[in-house]
Amino acid sequence: MSAVLPNRADGDGRVRVSLAELVALGTRIGRAKLSPADSRAARSGQHSSRLYGRGMDYAESRIYQAGDDVRRLDWRLTARSGRLHTKLFQEEREGRLLILLDTHSSMRFGTRVRFKSVQAARAAAFAAWLAVRAGERVGMLAFGEQDRLLRPQGSARGALAACGALAEWDAMPSMARSEPLSTALLRARRLQHGASRVLLISDGFSADDETRQHLFELKARAEAGVLVVADALEREPPPPGRYPLEHGGERRDVVLFGERQRREFQQALGTGPARLETLAHGAGVRCRVIDTRNDPLAAVSELLGATGVCR
């Protein structure tokens, strides 16, 4: 179902994602810090650390970033590539955030301020900026109508790549495709690539009976959080009135005046968000619910354990 906000040009920040807005959100992050992630991946099984030391196993090299210890420069790779590279060791692997973004058609719905799809993109952009400002890499997996993967990248380039992907995916035509949330979570586990944090952003309408178990298994591998994006009508009964809704290209007016009628309407619309919130709590995964009127920064910061964020 899609609805009620006036149809405007792509990138208006209401019915379509605005790339300029996503990029500008980075200015609100400040000097963010993320609490150490409990890396539960089978490869280590220990708390991740950035402490340097002798005798540690080499893990990988990456492009030099300001503040890196010059004693850890990878001179061979630097000579081959012509660009400075830094060695990372097993105990100092960079944290990685994997964002799981719901792109089902139910996300293109909104009665207040913006569509859920736009709000989800804003939340994902905040998460990306938080991660890279804290020295982590960020990758994204789109599920639902879009089946897309953005490989993890670090520094500002990683956040900009995430913002660009969010705008690009949002502008793609509808694929009339659906995917159970449990299937998306299973794919995320297979594509996790050592991610120390996973953030799921969804309205919950794709949640199925297997979702709880897959959330539980995901939590066993990484610090997991769920951000439920809902519309105001999905969270609280609407005021009495006549509401124009559009579905399948057909526009209809829904007349809601009686208290019971309005409460039942809200409960019917809100089944997705309510179900995902219940499943997340049942799996012991941190969960926050926002609607399309909220500023997502506080909820995203809390789910990622961020401090030092400009509000």
Side-chain angles (χ1 to χ4, degrees):
M1 183 184 293
S2 60
V4 294
L5 292 178
N7 189 14
R8 301 191 175 194
D10 287 354
D12 64 357
R14 299 187 69 195
V15 301
R16 288 293 185 183
V17 169
S18 167
L19 176 58
E21 180 189 14
L22 300 187
V23 173
L25 294 178
T27 63
R28 297 182 53 200
I29 299 305
R31 297 184 177 182
K33 294 182 179 180
L34 299 184
S35 59
D38 183 6
S39 180
R40 300 161 187 169
R43 61 172 175 80
S44 64
Q46 303 292 328
H47 287 274
S48 61
S49 169
R50 293 183 181 276
L51 296 177
Y52 298 129
R54 297 174 180 251
M56 295 184 295
D57 293 332
Y58 169 78
E60 60 184 336
S61 294
R62 58 127 166 91
I63 295 291
Y64 175 85
Q65 297 178 9
D68 284 350
D69 190 336
V70 294
R71 295 172 297 178
R72 301 295 174 179
L73 290 178
D74 187 334
W75 293 110
R76 291 185 179 180
L77 185 54
T78 296
R80 290 200 305 268
S81 66
R83 301 180 65 185
L84 285 174
H85 281 72
T86 300
K87 289 182 178 179
L88 298 179
F89 296 83
Q90 188 67 37
E91 287 79 1
E92 58 181 358
R93 270 188 187 271
E94 292 173 301
R96 294 184 180 181
L97 168 66
L98 177 61
I99 301 171
L100 310 182
L101 182 70
D102 192 339
T103 64
H104 281 97
S105 59
S106 62
M107 297 291 289
R108 295 195 182 277
F109 176 83
T111 63
R112 301 290 190 278
V113 184
R114 56 182 63 89
F115 274 7
K116 290 185 288 183
S117 55
V118 175
Q119 183 73 310
R122 296 173 75 240
F126 270 132
W129 283 114
L130 281 168
V132 301
R133 289 288 171 85
E136 299 194 356
R137 295 188 181 189
V138 59
M140 289 196 305
L141 171 67
F143 67 94
E145 290 205 346
Q146 303 297 333
D147 179 4
R148 303 282 173 172
L149 176 66
L150 179 68
R151 299 288 180 180
Q153 299 181 55
S155 71
R157 182 171 59 180
L160 290 172
C163 292
L166 289 165
E168 179 184 350
W169 297 347
D170 182 75
M172 289 180 174
S174 174
M175 303 297 291
R177 177 179 178 271
S178 63
E179 180 179 14
L181 182 52
S182 61
T183 302
L185 292 172
L186 180 60
R187 285 201 295 130
R189 284 169 48 202
R190 292 171 176 170
L191 296 170
Q192 198 171 336
H193 299 297
S196 51
R197 307 178 199 271
V198 178
L199 177 64
L200 168 64
I201 305 176
S202 171
D203 65 0
F205 282 98
S206 60
D208 53 353
D209 292 339
E210 290 74 33
T211 292
R212 179 181 177 277
Q213 180 60 31
H214 285 282
L215 283 173
F216 183 81
E217 293 174 0
L218 190 66
K219 177 191 172 186
R221 293 169 171 257
E223 294 282 352
V226 175
L227 182 65
V228 182
V229 180
D231 181 73
L233 287 185
E234 295 169 345
R235 299 195 67 189
E236 56 193 31
R242 185 185 300 270
Y243 294 85
L245 297 178
E246 183 178 319
H247 179 63
E250 296 185 7
R251 189 179 179 89
R252 296 182 179 180
D253 286 347
V254 177
V255 180
L256 301 172
F257 287 106
E259 180 179 351
R260 178 179 177 183
Q261 186 183 36
R262 289 184 287 117
R263 185 174 63 253
E264 291 178 348
F265 180 78
Q266 178 269 319
Q267 291 173 348
L269 279 184
T271 54
R275 178 171 174 78
L276 181 53
E277 184 180 13
T278 299
L279 290 170
H281 288 312
V285 176
R286 288 182 296 178
C287 178
R288 295 294 178 269
V289 182
I290 61 172
D291 67 37
T292 56
R293 301 167 294 184
N294 301 138
D295 182 349
L297 180 55
V300 172
S301 299
E302 185 176 350
L303 288 172
L304 296 183
T307 58
V309 179
C310 297
R311 298 296 172 88

